Amino acid sequence: MNRRSRGFTLTELLTALVIHSFFILMLGGIFYTLISFGSRSQMTMTARERGQRVINYIDSRVRRAGLGMWKLEKSSEIRGALAPLTEGNVAKKGFNNNDKTVITLPVIVTYDDQDEIATDGLYNDKIKSEDNIVRGNVLTLLYAERETDKIFIIKNGGYAKMPSETLTTLPDNAKKLKGIFQTIQNAIYEYYASILSDKPIETIQSDEKQTIIQETFDEFWKKFLTTGITSASKKFDINVYNSIPNNQYEALLKSFFNMYGVLEDLNSSDDGQSNALKSMFKDLITYINTHDETNIFIPQITSILKPYSTFDPEFSHIFLTEEYNDSGKVKKYKEYPGSQFEEAAKNDKGQTDDLRSYAVLRGTGSPVIVNKTSLNLISCDPVLSGDELLYLKSVRVFAMNPTDYDKKHGQQLRNLKVQKLDGKDWGDVNPYQQGILEIYAELNTTESILTVWVLSTGGRDNMTHEKPADWPGRWREEGDNNDYKYFVTYVSKGTWKLNNLPENFTWD
């Protein structure tokens, strides 16, 4: 046997070593790639979970934005309903901003180009709007929320009624009042029907007559119980009611005033004047309280009572479960103590500059102010029996760099911050979800559609990444030390039609 066949030559050994090294390097590279891919995939999944959590947080509130405000057709009307919270220029106080167009309640989208967004509420926020789309990186929502352990159900719906025990103690002249009303109503029917139709009453066809009579009757009471008494509540001026011959306003007011001995100057401080007014208005409400055709005017009457008397709770909605003591008197109200309504109250009156004083219901279509035993209706819409009071809440969400406190507690990445309107002031800025680099929102004011994008990360790696094609917001300037190019990112998106708002809502 040839001796050379007994082993490998040096060349063969070196060749085998090179081949083995090549395979080892290739396998190492594949292994590194697999490890890197797995790590990046895990970071992507983490980023996705973080972004989705933010979308879910926003979703649960956007769906309730504007709930119970279907009657308010403009942002300016919502600002008006919450006037003590939207007027003035005090930082950190409610919905205040020098530019009222920023306060597009119930959804506000504003822009702040700082890395650390100002936390003084809406005071320094700016608005960017083009082509009827408002764009920004700060989202503020006004929404309704149920009480978690209490249910505020309206016990006395409709327009507030006088309690039965009060009705039995009314003065005798309440009976006389009914007769006077009937006489005047008969005159109103014929007189105003002829005025409206511009025809003699006897020439009007019977099928047309009833419609005209009803319309004129309703119009008369609307004018009398709004313009008529509102003017009279300042100072009774007989000239106001003399513009039309035989004006029935004059006849009605004279009947009231003469019966009760009310002075023509309603602002008189005389005790007798005050008592006469109380008696007159109480009887007037008693009549209206039992006549469906006029009870829609109870809110106007009760609002007129306030400057002159303190018995308006007699005409309030009973909306809380009552407990009685041995003598039958109301001892306390179960739900009210410990509620946010109570926290905002002072001397049993809701504080109108405190968001916790406000509630919304399905029936009114606008906010109401909650006192201990009653509701203060901002508008004159009915409250439905069985309806539920819901708290009004407001929150701002935005992305910020972590604070020293955040870093000490393991949150090294930028995170989503939540700031709530705590009654009167914007509260602390609290971290909600770390790993949120940016949020970006667009409010389409033509179609009332809100779209929110969330740029989240699962961490950094050594590779550079391009700006995601589906991310419309800030990606930082190229070369910025804080650029996001080394972050593994994910873009989450949510789109909502604001269905709680009336059709053709105006964002003014």
Side-chain angles (χ1 to χ4, degrees):
M1 179 181 291
N2 190 329
R3 180 178 296 180
R4 293 181 58 188
S5 66
R6 294 179 180 178
F8 295 101
T9 64
L10 179 61
T11 301
E12 291 172 331
L13 288 172
L14 289 174
T15 302
L17 181 61
V18 168
I19 293 173
H20 279 82
S21 298
F22 174 78
F23 277 109
I24 290 172
L25 288 174
M26 186 174 66
L27 289 173
I30 293 173
F31 180 75
Y32 177 79
T33 301
L34 290 174
I35 293 296
S36 298
F37 177 79
S39 176
R40 193 171 297 115
S41 297
Q42 183 60 48
M43 286 191 285
T44 301
M45 291 179 62
T46 299
R48 180 179 182 276
E49 291 172 0
R50 289 170 171 173
Q52 193 58 49
R53 186 170 182 234
V54 172
I55 291 294
N56 291 342
Y57 179 89
I58 294 172
D59 174 83
S60 66
R61 287 153 180 81
V62 170
R63 290 180 184 276
R64 291 175 275 135
L67 187 66
M69 298 186 187
W70 52 266
K71 182 187 175 186
L72 305 178
E73 299 181 343
K74 301 178 180 180
S75 290
S76 57
E77 292 181 2
I78 297 180
R79 292 198 297 270
L82 303 172
L85 287 163
T86 61
E87 296 177 353
N89 298 313
V90 183
K92 297 187 180 181
K93 300 289 185 180
F95 304 103
N96 289 292
N97 193 287
N98 290 322
D99 182 4
K100 293 295 185 189
T101 60
V102 170
I103 314 174
T104 57
L105 293 171
V107 175
I108 304 173
V109 175
T110 49
Y111 183 81
D112 195 312
D113 58 3
Q114 303 175 41
D115 280 347
E116 295 189 7
I117 292 173
T119 59
D120 56 355
L122 294 169
Y123 188 62
N124 287 318
D125 281 13
K126 303 177 181 64
I127 192 168
K128 286 190 173 183
S129 178
E130 185 180 0
D131 299 328
N132 298 317
I133 296 178
V134 185
R135 300 172 172 88
N137 58 354
V138 183
L139 177 64
T140 304
L141 301 171
L142 177 69
Y143 60 96
E145 182 174 278
R146 295 187 69 182
E147 169 64 82
T148 55
D149 59 352
K150 300 179 176 69
I151 301 179
F152 296 99
I153 299 296
I154 301 298
K155 306 297 182 184
N156 184 13
Y159 294 94
K161 304 277 187 180
M162 191 185 300
S164 57
E165 61 270 19
T166 305
L167 287 169
T168 61
T169 61
L170 289 174
D172 291 338
N173 56 18
K175 299 175 182 177
K176 291 164 50 181
L177 183 67
K178 291 187 177 182
I180 291 178
F181 259 92
Q182 192 60 52
T183 301
I184 294 174
Q185 283 180 188
N186 292 338
I188 291 170
Y189 277 147
E190 295 196 1
Y191 179 75
Y192 276 87
S194 62
I195 292 294
L196 180 66
S197 64
D198 197 26
K199 302 176 186 176
I201 193 69
E202 60 272 8
T203 65
I204 301 175
Q205 298 295 322
S206 59
D207 57 344
E208 180 188 6
K209 184 175 182 179
Q210 188 58 42
T211 300
I212 292 176
I213 285 177
Q214 189 61 50
E215 289 176 354
T216 53
F217 177 72
D218 293 343
E219 183 66 16
F220 169 81
W221 281 111
K222 181 178 179 181
K223 288 181 178 178
F224 172 72
L225 295 172
T226 54
T227 306
I229 291 185
T230 301
S231 300
S233 67
K234 299 174 182 176
K235 179 175 174 59
F236 178 65
D237 183 357
I238 196 68
N239 294 321
V240 174
Y241 309 102
N242 279 339
S243 58
I244 302 175
N246 301 318
N247 191 334
Q248 297 302 314
Y249 290 149
E250 178 184 348
L252 185 56
L253 283 171
K254 278 188 174 181
S255 297
F256 287 160
F257 284 35
N258 290 338
M259 176 188 296
Y260 293 93
V262 176
L263 303 176
E264 289 189 358
D265 181 3
L266 295 188
N267 289 320
S268 171
S269 59
D270 180 79
D271 288 341
Q273 172 79 325
S274 177
N275 291 331
L277 276 168
K278 290 180 184 180
S279 182
M280 183 185 85
F281 281 124
K282 182 178 288 190
D283 288 353
L284 180 59
I285 292 180
T286 302
Y287 175 84
I288 292 176
N289 210 32
T290 56
H291 288 70
D292 292 339
E293 69 269 22
T294 57
N295 66 12
I296 61 172
F297 302 112
I298 285 181
Q300 286 97 323
I301 299 295
T302 54
S303 66
I304 294 164
L305 283 168
K306 292 178 183 178
Y308 305 109
S309 69
T310 58
F311 68 91
D312 50 305
E314 295 175 355
F315 312 103
S316 300
H317 302 91
I318 302 172
F319 64 96
L320 300 173
T321 303
E322 302 170 352
E323 289 186 354
Y324 296 89
N325 58 21
D326 294 338
S327 62
K329 300 288 187 180
V330 174
K331 182 173 62 174
K332 66 178 180 178
Y333 297 87
K334 281 184 177 181
E335 291 88 347
Y336 190 83
S339 71
Q340 293 185 29
F341 302 128
E342 185 189 45
E343 292 175 13
K346 183 178 180 181
N347 298 326
D348 292 339
K349 298 294 181 183
Q351 301 303 292
T352 57
D353 61 346
D354 192 318
L355 186 65
R356 295 170 300 180
S357 289
Y358 292 86
V360 290
L361 321 97
R362 175 176 48 193
T364 59
S366 62
V368 299
I369 299 171
V370 181
N371 299 323
K372 183 175 182 180
T373 60
S374 63
L375 302 181
N376 181 1
L377 301 184
I378 299 172
S379 67
C380 294
D381 293 292
V383 174
L384 304 177
S385 292
D387 209 342
E388 180 182 1
L389 292 176
L390 303 176
Y391 291 132
L392 268 183
K393 300 276 190 174
S394 184
V395 67
R396 286 160 46 87
V397 295
F398 44 86
M400 275 182 57
N401 286 331
T403 64
D404 291 340
Y405 179 86
D406 296 336
K407 292 177 180 178
K408 288 180 181 179
H409 290 78
Q411 297 194 35
Q412 306 299 319
L413 301 172
R414 278 174 66 87
N415 48 50
L416 184 85
K417 295 296 182 77
V418 170
Q419 187 181 27
K420 298 178 180 179
L421 184 56
D422 185 17
K424 299 182 181 182
D425 307 334
W426 288 97
D428 295 335
V429 178
N430 296 311
Y432 177 76
Q433 174 61 62
Q434 77 158 332
I436 305 302
L437 302 177
E438 302 282 347
I439 72 165
Y440 181 81
E442 290 187 354
L443 175 62
N444 185 323
T445 57
T446 301
E447 300 179 7
S448 293
I449 293 176
L450 174 69
T451 305
V452 177
W453 292 262
V454 178
L455 181 67
S456 54
T457 182
R460 299 171 64 107
D461 63 11
N462 294 323
M463 291 184 60
T464 59
H465 303 274
E466 298 295 328
K467 177 182 177 180
D470 53 349
W471 171 244
R474 182 176 69 164
W475 184 251
R476 306 295 183 99
E477 295 298 327
E478 185 176 353
D480 188 335
N481 291 332
N482 295 318
D483 197 277
Y484 296 143
K485 62 185 178 182
Y486 292 111
F487 285 93
V488 177
T489 60
Y490 187 88
V491 178
S492 303
K493 179 182 177 181
T495 301
W496 300 269
K497 172 68 174 176
L498 303 172
N499 291 317
N500 296 319
L501 301 177
E503 190 175 354
N504 299 321
F505 183 83
T506 302
W507 299 87
D508 59 353

